[in-house]
């Protein structure tokens, strides 16, 4: 995924609409899978806490933390690509708008997932 944006951006070329869409969809799919995993494991963790199964809760908590780390890492990677290679070379209005929307989506994706547990 990052290779698509990096290869075009290394030459200071703006991503085409197709490349921007591919980049966006690829990362959203990866993040979506992690968010779904996070929601499921959080639900299981809450059920086990209610049942008082502290051994299960401990293992589940560790796994949830691993998913959170992966999700944060993925979002950090896409943001790094956007900030360093994609946004600086965007010239067209549509391109800038889509890139800035993606920039706003990734931190929101992480915080939304993590805040669900507190709700």
């Amino acid at each position: 995924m990052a290779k698509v944006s990096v290869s075009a951006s290394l030459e200071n070329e703006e991503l085409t609409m197709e490349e921007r869409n591919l980049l966006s969809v690829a990362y959203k799919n990866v993040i979506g899978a992690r968010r779904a995993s996070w929601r499921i494991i959080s639900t299981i963790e809450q059920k086990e806490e209610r049942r008082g199964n502290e051994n299960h809760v401990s293992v589940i908590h560790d796994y949830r933390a691993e998913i959170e780390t992966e999700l944060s890492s993925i979002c950090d990677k896409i943001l790094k690509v956007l900030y360093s290679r994609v946004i600086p070379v965007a010239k067209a209005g549509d391109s800038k708008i889509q890139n800035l929307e993606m920039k706003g989506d990734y931190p929101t994706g992480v915080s939304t997932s993590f805040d669900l547990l507190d709700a």
Side-chain angles (χ1 to χ4, degrees):
M1 293 166 282
K3 291 179 184 178
V4 171
S5 64
V6 172
S7 64
S9 298
L10 283 177
E11 302 167 10
N12 286 334
E13 292 179 18
E14 185 174 15
L15 294 177
T16 65
M17 183 184 298
E18 183 178 356
E19 289 170 331
R20 287 192 316 268
N21 289 338
L22 286 172
L23 179 66
S24 178
V25 168
Y27 272 97
K28 285 181 182 181
N29 286 342
V30 171
I31 288 171
R34 297 305 187 290
R35 288 181 70 194
S37 297
W38 187 91
R39 284 190 296 270
I40 291 166
I41 203 74
S42 294
T43 301
I44 294 169
E45 182 180 22
Q46 289 173 350
K47 286 179 182 178
E48 291 300 317
E49 283 175 348
R50 277 180 276 185
R51 292 178 182 159
N53 295 332
E54 289 304 318
N55 291 338
H56 292 167
V57 170
S58 174
V59 172
I60 294 168
H61 177 76
D62 291 345
Y63 186 60
R64 183 174 53 87
E66 186 178 321
I67 294 170
E68 289 173 358
T69 302
E70 287 178 5
L71 187 57
S72 292
S73 174
I74 292 165
C75 289
D76 288 345
K77 286 177 186 176
I78 184 59
L79 287 171
K80 184 177 178 182
V81 169
L82 288 170
Y83 281 119
S84 66
R85 303 195 184 271
V86 178
I87 293 173
V89 298
K91 295 177 182 114
D94 291 345
S95 177
K96 282 186 178 185
I97 290 169
Q98 185 176 11
N99 293 335
L100 293 173
E101 284 177 352
M102 280 195 296
K103 180 181 104 173
D105 286 345
Y106 296 106
T108 303
V110 174
S111 65
T112 302
S113 294
F114 298 163
D115 290 344
L116 287 175
L117 188 60
D118 298 331

